Amino acid sequence: SRMTIRGRGCLPEADGRSFMALLDICHFLVDQITQAHNFSDVDEASNLRATDTQKCMLLSAQMWTYWYSAPAGPGVYEMLLDWTSHQQRGGRARSSVLAQRELGNAKCRDMQGVALQALVVNECAQWPRRRKTGAFYFAGEDASGAALLADAEAVET
């Protein structure tokens, strides 16, 4: 049986960093399809997240649009599977700055590659089915960065 973990309304820092790294990778990959920014590496996608949230939201929307297929090739999910498989085999798909900051020493990088591949295979495939769509109001943000969103339909009724 699965252990039930009570949520606190925010991700623990390690999980949040992993999620943001995965999102940065997806933004990098969808940019390979759209070529809107021509990122040379994942660091550039990460830097965009830190400087222009509007462009990152557009990349996220494009990520969902091209999740399973793209006009001229594989979709983001297939590219992500390939990317993490390469990473698991010890490839240098990530920049050294991200690898050192998030993964630490070489042994940790190897373990992280295995974990990232498992995460993509077991969890990311389900992302489109779990996605919440609609219009939301940004109600606030606390000091830790947790955001409170309100469903626009619920607010208007």
Side-chain angles (χ1 to χ4, degrees):
S1 80
R2 295 186 111 177
M3 181 188 323
T4 303
I5 300 173
R6 292 188 52 93
R8 297 180 313 180
C10 65
L11 290 173
E13 183 177 352
D15 292 342
R17 287 183 182 275
S18 295
F19 176 75
M20 295 312 295
L22 191 57
L23 196 58
D24 289 342
I25 295 164
C26 289
H27 286 170
F28 170 76
L29 294 173
V30 77
D31 187 62
Q32 301 298 302
I33 296 168
T34 65
Q35 299 179 353
H37 303 282
N38 293 312
F39 297 134
S40 62
D41 58 26
V42 176
D43 278 341
E44 288 186 13
S46 181
N47 290 337
L48 182 68
R49 177 173 43 86
T51 58
D52 194 331
T53 56
Q54 292 293 328
K55 288 181 181 176
C56 281
M57 288 191 307
L58 179 58
L59 283 170
S60 292
Q62 291 169 332
M63 177 184 83
W64 296 119
T65 299
Y66 299 122
W67 187 252
Y68 290 115
S69 64
V76 172
Y77 180 64
E78 186 178 337
M79 293 169 70
L80 186 58
L81 284 172
D82 289 345
W83 195 93
T84 56
S85 176
H86 178 75
Q87 184 72 13
Q88 183 178 6
R89 291 188 308 267
R92 297 290 301 165
R94 294 184 81 138
S95 71
S96 60
V97 173
L98 270 176
Q100 289 171 358
R101 185 180 75 209
E102 295 172 7
L103 306 179
N105 64 35
K107 184 176 181 182
C108 286
R109 274 196 299 278
D110 294 343
M111 293 180 348
Q112 182 71 13
V114 171
L116 190 58
Q117 174 73 8
L119 176 70
V120 170
V121 169
N122 296 320
E123 297 296 328
C124 292
Q126 301 174 41
W127 279 7
R129 291 189 301 275
R130 293 182 178 174
R131 180 180 179 210
K132 301 293 183 203
T133 60
F136 299 91
Y137 292 108
F138 180 78
E141 183 175 8
D142 69 13
S144 71
L148 175 63
L149 303 176
D151 185 341
E153 283 187 23
V155 172
E156 293 172 4
T157 57

